[in-house]
Amino acid sequence: LIMKPFADMNNDNYYLVMPASGIGKRMKSETPKQYLKLSNGLTIIDQCLKTFLKVDAISGFVIALSEKDTLFKSSIYFKHSKMLATAKGGKERFHSVLNALNSLSSVAKPNDWVLVHDSVRPCVKKTDIEVLINEVSNHQTGGILVTSVVDTIKQVSNDGEVSTIDRKKLYKAQTPQMFRFGILKDALDNALKLGNHITDESEAIENLGYSIKIVVGSSSNIKITQIDDLEQANHYLQ
């Protein structure tokens, strides 16, 4: 991958990729959690898209959907001018993201940026997205939103010995995670080739030996996994 000089980076494009093929078993709902309604009347995924589409830098977006998905066509953003494509959702999150990147291959340049965001993080702030873009846009690889760990963290060894980990060095990864298109695609192709189980894009990037930048975001940027999280999300959005 040939990197262009920082001086030329104003020509980079920014694309949003959103994996949205999960079914949300832990929510105990027949409706996939990204399509559950928030108190403002929007679905969770539409609330995510509403925020991102307020960011002028975003050139377009791709949504990775389950082959059985019949609900996204009812989204208010289904026919949005920045809607570039839908991609096939995969078995794991990174399969979905890789399929979305393949859909972008005809328009995205290697040095363009991809922001990957969970479709069930509806409380992401426009200001946090913009800070991430501003902080990372001159980086060779990319970076992610994080929050500091505030709880005391304990580690238990195999023999049952308990110790305390220095939380000053620990952060919780959030989304969006923003990486250069070419590097991210290489990283996910590598994970697929090696059969690695990765839980987010930054892990795949790290496995290729790249360093990334962290940008502290808002603690309200929660991921909805259980029914109680929905109530908390409504609180933050209000």
Side-chain angles (χ1 to χ4, degrees), residues 143-169:
I144 66 174
L145 283 181
V146 300
T147 54
S148 301
V149 171
V150 295
D151 296 322
T152 299
I153 303 298
K154 298 295 184 179
Q155 178 175 279
V156 182
S157 66
N158 291 335
D159 59 8
E161 183 178 348
V162 178
S163 59
T164 302
I165 298 175
D166 183 3
R167 65 186 178 193
K168 294 178 183 177
K169 301 177 181 179

Side-chain angles (χ1 to χ4, degrees), residues 15 18 21 47 61 80 85 100 109 114 122 126 138 171 173 207 216 221 234 237:
Y15 298 101
M18 194 172 289
S21 60
Q47 177 61 44
F61 64 94
H80 194 278
K109 303 184 299 292
V114 176
K126 175 177 180 280
N138 282 333
Y171 296 88
N207 286 345
V216 176
N221 185 14
N234 284 324
L237 289 170

Side-chain angles (χ1 to χ4, degrees), residues 19 23 39 42 46 56 61 80-81 84 89 98 107-108 111 113 125 129 131 134 146 159 180 189 208-209 219 233:
I23 58 174
S39 59
L42 294 178
D46 278 355
D56 292 337
F61 64 94
H80 194 278
S81 60
L84 301 177
L98 184 55
V107 295
N111 276 288
W113 292 101
K125 294 181 178 179
I129 300 168
V131 168
N134 290 334
V146 300
D159 59 8
R180 295 199 179 274
D189 278 332
L208 278 189
S219 59

